[in-house]
Amino acid sequence: GPTSFEDLKTFEGILYPTFKAVCLARGLLEDDAEWKLCLEEAAVIQSGFQLRQLFVTILKECHPANPEALWHQFKYHICDDLKYKLQREFNLNHPSDDIIYDYGLYLISNILYITGDTLEKYNLPLFQGNWNRN
């Protein structure tokens, strides 16, 4: 049997960074394939606003194994409506992708805040901009 924590985090000769990661590799936990498929299908017919709502629902109700990976994989679709909004409401003529995604994280943070959650709870990147419009 294992004689160290390193042994516990090793599977088929690969040392995983966390116990959760090795459990996923061993098939002891569900992966996020179902949530990826859900977001892929929704991205074809839903707006960015609707995808943000769906993403938060997945975070809160479905407990994905790696929310950050889902964010990075689908952030383009989740934020597809924000370039125009930033141009119109913030007078940003050519917002970069980083600015668009930062604003998307801010909006997701607002949705989570209403229910008492934070981006940190789901290990999501934190937004950097000051998006409050006072």
Side-chain angles (χ1 to χ4, degrees), residues 27 30 66 82:
E30 292 184 30
N66 192 342
L82 298 181

Side-chain angles (χ1 to χ4, degrees), residues 37-128:
L37 181 60
C38 176
L39 287 165
E40 285 171 3
E41 291 175 354
V44 176
I45 57 173
Q46 302 293 319
S47 69
F49 174 82
Q50 293 165 320
L51 288 172
R52 286 189 293 280
Q53 299 293 324
L54 175 61
F55 185 66
V56 169
T57 299
I58 290 170
L59 292 176
K60 295 188 65 53
E61 304 300 330
C62 305
H63 312 289
N66 192 342
E68 185 177 11
L70 286 175
W71 162 252
H72 286 296
Q73 184 173 353
F74 293 99
K75 64 185 177 183
Y76 172 81
H77 300 289
I78 290 170
C79 298
D80 73 353
D81 60 332
L82 298 181
K83 181 176 182 178
Y84 175 72
K85 186 171 183 169
L86 287 167
Q87 291 170 336
R88 191 184 73 228
E89 295 181 19
F90 290 90
N91 295 319
L92 295 173
N93 291 332
H94 302 288
S96 69
D97 288 344
D98 288 340
I99 289 173
I100 292 168
Y101 301 144
D102 190 66
Y103 186 52
L105 286 167
Y106 167 76
L107 295 175
I108 290 168
S109 176
N110 284 346
I111 300 167
L112 288 169
Y113 179 77
I114 292 168
T115 61
D117 281 339
T118 63
L119 294 171
E120 293 95 336
K121 177 179 177 179
Y122 301 99
N123 296 320
L124 291 170
L126 302 178
F127 63 91
Q128 302 300 309

